[in-house]
Amino acid sequence: MQYAQLVQLAFASLQANVRRLTFWVFAAVFVLLALMLYRGPIGFAGMTASGAPLATNADYAIAAMLAAFSFFLMHFTATLCGDPIVLDHRLRLAPILRGTPLSPTTYVLGRFLGGYLSLLAIYGVYVAALFLGQFLTPAETKLTLPWRLEPYVRHSVWFLLVPTFFVGAVSFAIGTLSRSMRMVYVFASALLVGWFLLLSSMSDSALRELAYFEPSGQIWLGEKVAKNRGNAWLNEHSIAVDWGFALNRLALVVLGCVALWITVKRYPRLDTESEAPPATRALLARVWAWFRGAQPQVADRYEVWSGHARVPQVLPTERGVGLWLATLWSAFVTELRLLASERSLWIMIPIVMLFAGATVQSFQGAFNLPLYPVSSEYAALMVWPLLMFLAGTTIFYTGEVFHRDEASGVRGILYATPASNGAFLLAKYGAMVALGVSMALLAALTAMVNQFVRWHGLDRAPHVELAPYVVLGVHVVLPAILLLCALALVVNVLVRQRYVAYFVLLALGAAYVWWVGIQGHRSLLWNPLAVGHWRYSDLTGLEASARALGWHHAYWAVLLVGGLALSNWLLERTSGAVRAALHPRAIASRPVPALLTLLAACGATWLGFEIRERQDVRGSKAEAEARALYLEDTYLAELQQPRLTYDDVDLDVVLRPEDGEVDVRGTLVLTTAWPEAVETAYFTIDPLHEIRRFELEGARGPLRQDGEVVRFDLVRPLSRGERVTLRLDWTCKIDPGLRRDGGQVASFVLPSAVFLNSFSGELLPIPGISPDLFLRDEERRREHGREKLSTLRERVPGEFVESAFGTDVAFGFRARIEAPKPLTVLSTGLRTGLDELGERQRSTWQSDGRVRTFAILAYDYEAEKRGGDQVFFHPSHRYNVETILTALDDARRTFGASFAPYPHEELKIAEFPRVADFAQSFPTLMPYSESIGFLTQYDPKSRFVDATYFVTAHEVAHQWWAYVLHPGASLGAQVLSESLAEYSAMLLIDSKRGERARLIFLRREEDTYLRQRNADKEPPLAKLENEGQAYWYQKGALVFTMLERRIGRARVLEGLSNFIERWNRRATSAQPSYPTIRDLITELKRTHKERDLDWFYDQWFDQVVIPDLVVHDATVRRNGSTWTVDFAVENVGTGRAVVGVEAITGEWNLDELEGDEKFRASEPLALTVDAGKTVRASLSSTFAPERLIVDRLYECIDFDRTNNVVELGAPDEAATPASAASRPN
Amino acid sequence: MLEIKNLRKTYPGGVQALRGVSLKIENGMFGLLGPNGAGKTTLMKCVATLLEPDDGSITLNGLDVLHQKEDVRRVLGYLPQDFGLYPSLSAEQMLDYLACMKGITERAERRRLVGALLERVNLASVKKRRLGSYSGGMRQRFGIAQALLGAPKLLVVDEPTAGLDPEERNRFQNLLAELSGEIVVLLSTHIVSDVTALCHDMAIIRDGLIVQHGTPREAVDAMRGKVWEKIVPRALLDKYRSRLPVISANPAIDGIRLRVLSEGNPATVYSAGDGFVAVEPNLEDVYFSFVTAPEAQSHLAGSGSGSHYGR
């Protein structure tokens, strides 16, 4: 090795790179990025969270930032490291260098080191900027700890130096050996795509195991360091690298070294290898030759050249459309030929197939269950990942295609021909579109084959429909490809430099994802891919949606044409002619491109105004937020004022889904439940509605409307027991076609389906001021300088508490609903009549008993009935109907027996056909989405919860925990509905599916809670408002399960039953009031007066604690046929844990349906372990125990269960104490 | 006829590549001689519609080259100095593609033309092979073939014989000579013998200016009786150079063969010692006298001989 030359070569490369403008541009961008982490709007991993923000210079934050930074800039690393020798060949410098005494090894390693040092220099700038950022005053929402240097150095080694060395070395090997940067890009893309797919397809538990194999270190940081930790903990603690992670880093270094070693060995032989005649090569050698791009030289037999062949005089065709089309076609065919000869594309094909296959395989429904391979699901869910993938390949290949002529030296010859700019550009554009379409087709084909195979695996006839793929391809994928290719081409033409064009396009892409995906500004005007604006059903039940999509497509098509025309106009075919092209004389001589550009600009402006007028009827997101803040400032105080409530609802409803409209006429009787009289009656309505009549009896004057708020001053204050009548006649105008901002669907009136309910403001005015009018999102509020908005408060015992959901008193409900014939209309209560009206039909609905909410749902359903239980579903989604019917029946019987009789005759489950992603329970009617239960595929042998059965049980439980027992509007109200519904579903699973199903359910609940909780912001259950589902679903259910373990299930059920009875009586009394979480606790305590469990209620309802048990010092003694295990259990977490400890033998594995026959467990020993304490104890077994396990039956939430098991040694007096690894909390 | 008037081009870096070039070029072969960096390629690119000059005009048979680019391209054949080809296409595919780009859209005609051209440049036997597998000479021949597509009226060939072996150069010269009857062939080169062999008219360009324009014969005749030769010891070369208008100094077996431009015997005129012999001038003497020893030309101009700056 020539060390001096090696160093010289490396530093020469470094110097050459440092002199490049691009180097400094990137360095400047990285500095800006680093400084914005301290001062700007860029947040990272909870840095801007309220409560305890993650410090920008916390040990964990530094590691996470460097890990993400080095990994997501994969292409940058690959480019800098993969290019050096490719560049030498491109510049024809390599032969000169190799003609010097420089050894090939020195040359290869020197060039690699040069590229790698350049990379480190740029990344070093980023690290230095991160370090210096510590001395800035942090932004108000961010935190900077006292300055430190060591973590930056340490983590630069683990998370920057090592992964970039791996990526760099492999890229260098690929680039050098193939002499093609495209191969390098494909490698980087494959690595990135593979990484995302791996992550998205992994279950939570698999992710934990993957932590040691994943190259970026991000999974390790997430799973082994940050999981369940709060920012406060992360701010205070250093990251200790464990052996597994150290081995991971070592493996990357070794792999990088192997790549370099192969390069050093193969590089000197590259040229000689290519001279071997291809026919003698084995297949592998041919592949190797193909990879290297080797082309055997043709012998030049000039001795046979006569040089006198007669060349015919063939003149060019006269100008015209025919000539233009012929040149366009020829150029297009040539571009296709050139694309087909791209070696990298042949590698891309399996990547696309892998990507498509893995993407559809990774689709999961509720509770991580796979979905049945239905075409609409496959096609719809694949669209966005596919488009993201296509965006990347389009950006890259358009750059390659556009700059190919220049790079290969053909441009001079081509541009000197009379072929028009349009032919050149459109040919390239067409080739790119063809490539995109081919990839999309390949992906669709892969998905269909996948479907086919999976149907076979399910022992069902394959049911692969082409229509969903075609519909989505035509409406979404093809327009997106057309737009992406055009954008990429325009940027390349205007920017002219390939790498700058990549940079601009990536920046545009990132800005788009940030603006549309993260900020949620999804106006069609700025959303070329219509992200968030459609679901599959929008496209199948076209009409209104088609109109909206049509406007969108027209708008972007005009912009596309304009962009292509602009490219045509400004294509720099003659060097230095761009300025000249803008000269009036030049425009006059070639007016079409300029005119077309101008026309397109005018057309797009006109269409933009039209779309804004027709589609963005709710205004932009900024306008909506400003409005919400105005409403909050004006009406927040009214939330606490007495309000009216419905006492009787009688409606005539005409559904006109083809127009996206509903006509409602009604007579509504209102009263109040409040002790104080109502003087001013407020209603919340949808301001889009066309009001014909809105008259309140007893009001002084007509209504006064302020957008969403309608106000009446009453002539005489209305007291409890008094009633007034509201006469209503309006047309609900649901947003035309595609929904605004692509937000969560509350109500919809689409040709394919209708969903309306009584508390969204579309069907009926909501009495009082709806808190939904205000800006609730905490992040957005902080952007506007507002504190967290709390609309609930803790209530004083004896105080009147209004209802949390629905109306303050139950009302009678009658409705006559007219709809087009193919639609089956469903509503709350019983259908008492059905009249034919030609092409339409009218059904009459009446609630059997009083209700607090109602819904109207319409779809072309198929129905299955069993007694009063009914399931309405999409005709081809019959898979889980039997399970749903069973769950309905089980739930009705079990809950009826346990809590209170079910007050209605019917229980109806209806499918949302892909128009919503949620489940919602109304009295007697429970709609939920197909991915939640209708298409989830459950295998009883699996380690998952049966989502269909569970979700049905949960929604049925709401018939009791929302409608029979109506929670009061107080902090913790969600516990009285969601936690109890979740707990009730667990009861049903336990009683009908057995212990294993219960334990699987509890394991999932605990895991979900620990993953999703925010350790710094978690409120106690009794203070819950709307902070997160993991608290009210998972933690709530776990707490009631723990209570069950303390006082027994019978007492819990007794308490709940009494609670319902007491408060249901109160709710239907003349002086209604509604219960709070305190009332529930009081009721539960009544069932076990003899035992003091105040600590339990205090700990789990009013505090936030998480015990973490560690078992250690376990030894076994044998005395005849008895084995005694001595051990210690330490609680390194917070709060008190009451658990059982067992000695076991054989395998204990919840994931196995058939348990180990040898499995035996000792009688559990109950232990109470307080936080920070260690309890030493002994237990006996009548068999030789192999392990000691703490809390096998999920009796207490445990932070980390990996420390709950310890292997026991041989049972003799000299047994060595065994210990589980301890860890800090 | 190609007429160039007062053409100027300054690159963004400030380099003045053309500083008012004016030329009138009749049908036939026109040689443009000049050293590297003289502005030859810039001038060729302007004529080939690929570079926008800052000032001046170019007309071809009445067509305004700068503003009627598309019309000019229909009658233009262009072989750039440094060009590449799509390595994955065969010669036949690529030539067919370029023929179509030149406006030859009738398929049968195009095939016939492509076949004949490939035959003409001796690539017919390898027309199905990928261009990436061609040698340098084969690629250069392919370049010539493509330049001849569409019966051009103006053929711009920028240093076409660089890299060709003597045999191929010879054939190429023959090929160009055959073509140059009815059309304008603008041949840029720094190989003087190419111009000698082929061109009936020529110009020498240096530092963006035409420093000589005329027929090769005129240029040579103008120097007749003024070129003197002497073999001098290598050690005295610098001394001679400093005192005499040396136009070339070539190594010889017994020293350095000096060629000097002088109205009379340098021994007399410059007191440079005996031994100078009057020799027959050639085009290389003309080229070197303008390019490497301009002071010699200015000396002659001062004594009344004069060179042609444009015409």
Side-chain angles (χ1 to χ4, degrees):
Chain A
M1 176 77 77
Q2 302 155 304
Y3 291 104
Q5 286 94 328
L6 181 81
V7 171
Q8 267 184 335
L9 204 56
F11 277 98
S13 301
L14 177 63
Q15 280 177 338
N17 276 319
V18 167
R19 284 197 204 105
R20 290 163 74 175
L21 177 66
T22 327
F23 180 95
W24 294 104
V25 170
F26 273 100
V29 170
F30 292 161
V31 168
L32 194 66
L33 183 70
L35 299 184
M36 279 171 76
L37 283 164
Y38 288 94
R39 294 280 312 154
I42 300 178
F44 184 83
M47 269 176 190
T48 54
S50 59
L54 179 66
T56 314
N57 60 344
D59 206 62
Y60 169 76
I62 296 167
M65 281 188 290
L66 293 180
F69 177 79
S70 65
F71 198 72
F72 286 113
L73 288 172
M74 178 98 63
H75 286 84
F76 184 72
T77 304
T79 305
L80 255 178
C81 293
D83 192 43
I85 290 185
V86 184
L87 183 71
D88 284 352
H89 280 272
R90 211 165 47 233
L91 300 179
R92 297 169 194 174
L93 198 64
I96 297 171
L97 285 172
R98 284 166 54 194
T100 66
L102 205 60
S103 77
T105 306
T106 309
Y107 170 62
V108 169
L109 291 182
R111 294 299 278 140
F112 168 72
L113 275 181
Y116 187 56
L117 282 179
S118 308
L119 181 83
L120 292 186
I122 292 192
Y123 286 175
V125 170
Y126 175 65
V127 176
L130 277 182
F131 171 75
L132 292 174
Q134 296 178 100
F135 302 102
L136 294 173
T137 310
E140 203 177 312
T141 53
K142 297 187 180 181
L143 175 69
T144 305
L145 300 172
W147 76 275
R148 68 268 309 273
L149 173 62
E150 184 269 340
Y152 289 97
V153 178
R154 183 160 39 91
H155 294 318
S156 292
V157 174
W158 290 116
F159 296 98
L160 205 116
L161 211 61
V162 175
T164 51
F165 173 75
F166 163 69
V167 174
V170 177
S171 303
F172 177 74
I174 292 173
T176 302
L177 297 180
S178 70
R179 292 182 193 174
S180 162
M181 280 308 288
R182 285 186 280 275
M183 298 293 244
V184 175
Y185 299 139
V186 166
F187 157 73
S189 305
L191 206 60
L192 214 53
V193 166
W195 185 83
F196 278 115
L197 287 179
L198 200 65
L199 252 60
S200 59
S201 62
M202 286 282 159
S203 65
D204 293 344
S205 56
L207 267 182
R208 226 166 287 145
E209 289 151 19
L210 184 75
Y212 292 119
F213 297 94
E214 187 265 332
S216 79
Q218 291 175 76
I219 306 283
W220 180 80
L221 282 169
E223 290 296 323
K224 303 293 179 187
V225 179
K227 190 195 154 204
N228 300 331
R229 310 279 193 205
N231 289 343
W233 189 93
L234 293 170
N235 286 342
E236 286 169 14
H237 291 79
S238 288
I239 296 174
V241 169
D242 57 24
W243 274 106
F245 188 66
L247 280 174
N248 170 309
R249 302 288 97 174
L250 182 65
L252 291 182
V253 173
V254 169
L255 283 174
C257 289
V258 168
L260 288 181
W261 180 77
I262 292 172
T263 316
V264 165
K265 289 286 164 197
R266 303 297 297 191
Y267 179 72
R269 294 173 11 213
L270 281 181
D271 288 334
T272 51
E273 278 175 354
S274 66
E275 286 163 13
T280 62
R281 289 189 209 158
L283 178 66
L284 200 63
R286 280 167 182 265
V287 173
W288 171 237
W290 172 83
F291 174 75
R292 289 183 296 113
Q295 297 211 27
Q297 290 295 303
V298 175
D300 189 3
R301 300 170 61 214
Y302 61 83
E303 70 278 5
V304 299
W305 183 17
S306 67
H308 293 294
R310 190 172 170 280
V311 178
Q313 286 281 310
V314 181
L315 294 173
T317 315
E318 284 304 309
R319 273 185 289 186
V321 177
L323 172 65
W324 188 81
L325 287 176
T327 51
L328 173 62
W329 177 249
S330 176
F332 174 65
V333 170
T334 303
E335 290 293 345
L336 283 186
R337 276 191 183 130
L338 293 169
L339 265 181
S341 67
E342 278 285 349
R343 281 174 293 159
S344 57
L345 267 185
W346 293 102
I347 297 178
M348 195 61 95
I349 287 170
I351 293 178
V352 173
M353 292 171 72
L354 182 76
F355 166 80
T359 305
V360 293
Q361 280 290 353
S362 68
F363 295 152
Q364 292 176 341
F367 296 8
N368 301 110
L369 284 180
L371 297 174
Y372 278 100
V374 176
S375 296
S376 57
E377 285 288 328
Y378 264 44
L381 294 173
M382 202 173 65
V383 166
W384 296 126
L386 177 67
L387 286 183
M388 289 294 112
F389 186 82
L390 285 178
T393 48
T394 302
I395 287 173
F396 171 64
Y397 277 105
T398 305
E400 292 298 304
V401 165
F402 183 74
H403 294 280
R404 184 203 292 123
D405 298 339
E406 187 183 10
S408 57
V410 184
R411 203 169 77 169
I413 293 175
L414 278 178
Y415 280 11
T417 66
S420 67
N421 288 0
F424 283 126
L425 288 175
L426 283 180
K428 290 184 189 301
Y429 176 66
M432 283 313 306
V433 170
L435 177 68
V437 170
S438 308
M439 285 194 180
L441 286 175
L442 190 65
L445 197 65
T446 309
M448 282 190 257
V449 171
N450 196 295
Q451 265 188 285
F452 193 82
V453 172
R454 281 195 62 199
W455 279 121
H456 264 296
L458 294 168
D459 289 331
R460 288 171 185 266
H463 186 65
V464 181
E465 292 173 278
L466 199 59
Y469 292 98
V470 174
V471 166
L472 287 162
V474 169
H475 285 291
V476 182
V477 179
L478 183 61
I481 290 173
L482 291 169
L483 274 171
L484 284 170
C485 292
L487 176 71
L489 191 70
V490 171
V491 170
N492 272 288
V493 169
L494 298 183
V495 172
R496 284 185 283 168
Q497 291 193 22
R498 184 186 342 201
Y499 294 106
V500 180
Y502 288 155
F503 188 80
V504 169
L505 285 164
L506 287 174
L508 283 175
Y512 176 66
V513 169
W514 179 78
W515 181 249
V516 172
I518 297 172
Q519 294 291 303
H521 294 283
R522 292 177 177 169
S523 167
L524 287 167
L525 292 178
W526 307 105
N527 192 357
L529 306 186
V531 169
H533 278 274
W534 60 270
R535 289 167 199 277
Y536 178 64
S537 59
D538 299 335
L539 305 176
T540 49
L542 283 173
E543 290 97 13
S545 300
R547 273 200 298 275
L549 263 185
W551 279 100
H552 176 260
H553 288 349
Y555 170 71
W556 284 100
V558 168
L559 282 177
L560 181 156
V561 170
L564 291 177
L566 184 70
S567 309
N568 188 335
W569 181 16
L570 298 182
L571 175 70
E572 196 181 28
R573 191 157 162 183
T574 303
S575 204
V578 171
R579 225 172 349 153
L582 299 170
H583 194 276
R585 194 169 66 169
I587 295 173
S589 68
R590 214 164 66 91
V592 175
L595 267 177
L596 209 53
T597 308
L598 190 68
L599 275 175
C602 295
T605 309
W606 177 77
L607 280 165
F609 278 113
E610 281 294 308
I611 288 174
R612 194 162 168 68
E613 191 70 20
R614 289 162 187 266
Q615 300 298 323
D616 279 4
V617 288
R618 309 268 174 181
S620 67
K621 182 168 177 168
E623 287 166 346
E625 285 183 0
R627 176 75 190 159
L629 291 175
Y630 160 77
L631 290 170
E632 180 184 321
D633 294 340
T634 314
Y635 297 107
L636 183 62
E638 298 299 332
L639 273 183
Q640 310 302 330
Q641 296 303 310
R643 67 186 180 206
L644 297 180
T645 186
Y646 290 119
D647 190 49
D648 189 75
V649 172
D650 188 273
L651 297 176
D652 283 291
V653 179
V654 179
L655 303 180
R656 290 190 282 117
E658 63 282 3
D659 301 321
E661 293 182 355
V662 179
D663 298 325
V664 182
R665 273 189 300 118
T667 306
L668 312 161
V669 179
L670 294 119
T671 183
T672 182
W674 290 63
E676 302 88 5
V678 177
E679 295 179 3
T680 305
Y682 284 100
F683 292 93
T684 304
I685 65 164
D686 188 325
L688 287 186
H689 287 2
E690 183 186 318
I691 302 173
R692 287 180 290 276
R693 187 179 188 192
F694 195 130
E695 294 169 2
L696 184 68
E697 182 187 81
R700 190 165 50 210
L703 66 87
R704 281 184 281 169
Q705 186 175 355
D706 180 9
E708 297 84 345
V709 177
V710 167
R711 171 184 169 159
F712 291 99
D713 291 324
L714 300 183
V715 175
R716 189 173 62 81
L718 191 82
S719 303
R720 265 180 184 164
E722 295 181 319
R723 290 172 176 76
V724 287
T725 302
L726 173 70
R727 294 186 201 286
L728 179 74
D729 185 359
W730 70 13
T731 296
C732 315
K733 285 185 179 290
I734 309 297
D735 301 348
L738 301 175
R739 283 170 298 283
R740 66 194 183 274
D741 272 350
Q744 177 83 32
V745 185
S747 315
F748 47 86
V749 179
L750 295 170
S752 56
V754 175
F755 173 58
L756 296 160
N757 63 61
S758 61
F759 50 68
S760 295
E762 273 92 1
L763 256 184
L764 292 186
I766 304 169
I769 303 291
S770 169
D772 293 337
L773 291 178
F774 309 144
L775 184 61
R776 307 292 293 274
D777 184 281
E778 219 177 311
E779 289 292 320
R780 299 301 307 152
R781 289 188 68 79
R782 214 136 33 78
E783 290 281 313
H784 289 281
R786 302 269 176 144
E787 296 290 317
K788 181 185 173 190
L789 178 66
S790 186
T791 54
L792 294 178
R793 59 192 170 92
E794 182 114 39
R795 311 305 283 256
V796 182
E799 179 189 5
F800 164 76
V801 181
E802 71 276 21
S803 132
F805 319 109
T807 51
D808 288 339
V809 297
F811 57 85
F813 166 70
R814 291 174 306 285
R816 291 155 298 282
I817 306 165
E818 189 186 311
K821 241 179 191 169
L823 299 181
T824 302
V825 174
L826 301 174
S827 188
T828 297
L830 299 169
R831 193 175 75 182
T832 55
L834 182 64
D835 303 318
E836 298 285 327
L837 304 169
E839 291 297 305
R840 300 173 70 83
Q841 58 188 356
R842 183 168 55 216
S843 55
T844 307
W845 292 83
Q846 180 159 3
S847 62
D848 51 340
R850 294 169 77 84
V851 294
R852 291 171 188 274
T853 65
F854 67 90
I856 294 174
L857 196 60
Y859 188 68
D860 189 4
Y861 283 120
E862 198 159 297
E864 199 70 51
K865 301 181 183 180
R866 190 183 294 164
D869 303 327
Q870 302 173 31
V871 185
F872 296 85
F873 53 96
H874 185 286
S876 61
H877 295 174
R878 181 179 283 276
Y879 314 109
N880 293 329
V881 169
E882 196 55 38
T883 306
I884 295 171
L885 279 171
T886 306
L888 280 174
D889 188 49
D890 291 348
R892 183 205 283 251
R893 286 171 198 276
T894 305
F895 301 155
S898 303
F899 306 137
Y902 178 60
H904 306 288
E905 192 177 311
E906 290 185 350
L907 261 181
K908 299 185 285 285
I909 292 271
E911 180 183 0
F912 275 144
R914 279 300 298 167
V915 280
D917 279 335
F918 60 97
Q920 203 165 24
S921 193
F922 297 89
T924 76
L925 177 61
M926 293 155 283
Y928 66 72
S929 305
E930 58 191 29
S931 64
I932 293 179
F934 284 87
L935 291 181
T936 42
Q937 184 190 325
Y938 174 66
D939 177 1
K941 295 177 193 162
S942 73
R943 55 196 177 87
F944 297 112
V945 176
D946 182 352
T948 307
Y949 190 86
F950 172 79
V951 173
T952 308
H954 179 104
E955 295 307 318
V956 174
H958 276 307
Q959 298 296 321
W960 281 265
W961 303 116
Y963 299 126
V964 177
L965 181 282
H966 210 65
S970 169
L971 290 174
Q974 299 277 18
V975 175
L976 303 195
S977 58
E978 296 298 353
S979 302
L980 285 171
E982 189 89 347
Y983 168 68
S984 304
M986 188 281 293
L987 285 178
L988 196 66
I989 284 178
D990 190 25
S991 67
K992 302 294 179 187
R993 298 285 176 95
E995 187 187 46
R996 178 175 174 266
R998 177 174 65 87
L999 292 178
I1000 286 176
F1001 172 76
L1002 291 176
R1003 180 176 67 178
R1004 181 191 174 276
E1005 295 289 270
E1006 184 185 77
D1007 195 49
T1008 307
Y1009 163 60
L1010 290 175
R1011 271 179 183 281
Q1012 294 183 4
R1013 68 186 283 264
N1014 183 329
D1016 300 306
K1017 295 167 70 179
E1018 179 180 344
L1021 285 181
K1023 307 280 185 195
L1024 261 184
E1025 193 168 355
N1026 56 357
E1027 288 81 358
Q1029 295 185 348
Y1031 308 131
W1032 63 68
Y1033 286 136
Q1034 277 77 33
K1035 184 183 177 183
L1038 287 166
V1039 167
F1040 285 109
T1041 309
M1042 286 191 281
L1043 180 64
E1044 206 180 66
R1045 293 283 157 182
R1046 301 280 66 76
I1047 65 174
R1049 180 172 295 175
R1051 283 194 169 131
V1052 174
L1053 294 182
E1054 179 195 338
L1056 294 178
S1057 172
N1058 292 342
F1059 182 58
I1060 286 182
E1061 202 215 331
R1062 187 185 307 275
W1063 286 97
N1064 198 13
R1065 203 167 50 234
R1066 177 75 193 270
T1068 52
S1069 70
Q1071 296 185 329
S1073 185
Y1074 297 91
T1076 67
I1077 193 167
R1078 300 288 168 207
D1079 299 314
L1080 173 66
I1081 293 170
T1082 304
E1083 197 66 61
L1084 289 167
K1085 281 183 176 176
R1086 285 193 184 114
T1087 65
H1088 56 93
K1089 286 173 194 163
E1090 73 281 14
R1091 298 166 69 173
D1092 180 13
L1093 279 178
D1094 283 354
W1095 70 267
F1096 180 92
Y1097 293 105
D1098 182 53
Q1099 171 170 306
W1100 292 113
F1101 286 98
D1102 286 306
Q1103 294 178 38
V1104 176
V1105 299
I1106 301 187
D1108 185 6
L1109 300 177
V1110 181
V1111 57
H1112 50 80
D1113 297 340
T1115 56
V1116 193
R1117 285 176 284 125
R1118 180 175 182 179
N1119 186 6
S1121 60
T1122 305
W1123 284 259
T1124 304
V1125 185
D1126 302 311
F1127 61 90
V1129 177
E1130 184 181 0
N1131 183 354
V1132 297
T1134 52
R1136 175 182 289 177
V1138 184
V1139 290
V1141 185
E1142 296 161 290
I1144 61 171
T1145 189
E1147 290 301 321
W1148 164 248
N1149 189 352
L1150 263 184
D1151 297 335
E1152 298 295 328
L1153 183 61
E1154 303 297 333
D1156 183 359
E1157 284 180 4
K1158 292 180 193 162
F1159 176 77
R1160 292 175 71 186
S1162 67
E1163 270 301 305
L1165 175 72
L1167 284 185
T1168 300
V1169 192
D1170 286 324
K1173 303 285 186 201
T1174 302
V1175 174
R1176 294 186 179 278
S1178 303
L1179 60 77
S1180 299
S1181 72
T1182 55
F1183 54 86
E1186 293 173 353
R1187 269 168 240 104
L1188 190 75
I1189 183 166
V1190 176
D1191 196 24
R1192 180 172 65 92
L1193 302 176
Y1194 291 83
E1195 293 181 343
C1196 181
I1197 294 173
D1198 195 321
F1199 183 84
D1200 182 2
R1201 288 185 180 269
T1202 58
N1203 299 328
N1204 290 20
V1205 188
V1206 66
E1207 295 288 333
L1208 298 172
D1212 55 36
E1213 293 299 328
T1216 311
S1219 175
S1222 63
R1223 57 183 292 176
N1225 188 11
Chain B
M1 187 178 73
L2 181 72
E3 186 168 4
I4 299 165
K5 279 187 189 164
N6 198 27
L7 208 62
R8 293 176 184 275
K9 176 70 187 177
T10 302
Y11 285 108
V15 175
Q16 285 184 292
L18 300 176
R19 298 192 290 173
V21 170
S22 297
L23 285 171
K24 263 187 188 171
I25 302 171
E26 304 289 344
N27 282 0
M29 186 87 78
F30 182 90
L32 185 64
L33 276 171
N36 291 334
K40 294 193 301 292
T41 298
T42 301
L43 179 60
M44 301 299 249
K45 280 186 174 174
C46 288
V47 174
T49 73
L50 297 179
L51 188 65
E52 198 76 13
D54 300 329
D55 200 7
S57 68
I58 308 173
T59 53
L60 172 71
N61 299 332
L63 282 176
D64 182 344
V65 173
L66 301 183
H67 296 111
Q68 292 174 280
K69 291 190 177 75
E70 201 177 325
D71 294 320
V72 173
R73 285 168 185 158
R74 288 170 62 77
V75 294
L76 172 71
Y78 177 50
L79 176 63
Q81 176 186 359
D82 193 11
F83 70 95
L85 302 166
Y86 295 135
S88 57
L89 294 191
S90 70
E92 192 177 39
Q93 285 171 335
M94 178 98 194
L95 203 57
D96 185 79
Y97 168 52
L98 291 172
C100 205
M101 293 296 102
K102 288 214 172 173
I104 302 162
T105 54
E106 214 284 305
R107 180 177 291 198
E109 277 191 334
R110 200 166 67 231
R111 276 194 184 161
R112 205 154 47 87
L113 175 65
V114 165
L117 276 172
L118 288 173
E119 187 67 44
R120 191 79 167 84
V121 297
N122 194 29
L123 294 173
S125 61
V126 288
K127 64 183 181 187
K128 302 285 184 196
R129 305 298 293 269
R130 291 178 167 208
L131 290 163
S133 61
Y134 278 22
S135 68
M138 294 164 86
R139 290 151 78 97
Q140 198 70 12
R141 287 182 347 240
F142 180 88
I144 295 157
Q146 67 78 27
L148 299 180
L149 284 165
K153 298 287 179 209
L154 169 65
L155 191 61
V156 178
V157 281
D158 196 355
E159 301 194 10
T161 54
L164 293 184
D165 64 29
E167 176 80 22
E168 285 195 326
R169 217 174 107 208
N170 193 19
R171 284 176 180 152
F172 178 72
Q173 286 174 349
N174 284 332
L175 186 64
L176 281 185
E178 278 180 39
L179 293 166
S180 61
E182 300 299 317
I183 66 173
V184 177
V185 180
L186 184 54
L187 168 72
S188 152
T189 183
H190 47 217
I191 301 173
V192 178
S193 60
D194 282 354
V195 176
T196 312
L198 294 170
C199 301
H200 73 280
D201 196 2
M202 58 155 283
I204 296 173
I205 184 168
R206 198 192 72 209
D207 295 336
L209 288 170
I210 299 294
V211 292
Q212 162 70 24
H213 184 189
T215 66
R217 179 178 294 278
E218 282 172 356
V220 171
D221 286 350
M223 294 183 78
R224 186 152 287 131
K226 296 171 188 168
V227 179
W228 302 80
E229 188 178 288
K230 180 183 179 181
I231 293 178
V232 300
R234 191 177 296 273
L236 297 178
L237 177 63
D238 287 344
K239 190 179 166 189
Y240 277 99
R241 272 192 189 281
S242 64
R243 291 179 56 193
L244 301 177
V246 175
I247 54 175
S248 67
N250 294 316
I253 295 170
D254 44 356
I256 298 288
R257 188 186 305 273
L258 277 188
R259 284 169 89 95
V260 176
L261 187 66
S262 173
E263 285 286 353
N265 190 333
T268 315
V269 177
Y270 297 101
S271 309
D274 294 336
F276 281 96
V277 181
V279 293
E280 192 63 21
N282 59 33
L283 200 56
E284 271 201 4
D285 293 326
V286 177
Y287 175 75
F288 283 129
S289 69
F290 281 102
V291 171
T292 62
E295 67 281 0
Q297 274 296 340
S298 47
H299 175 81
L300 277 191
S303 64
S305 174
S307 63
H308 308 272
Y309 284 85
R311 193 156 65 161

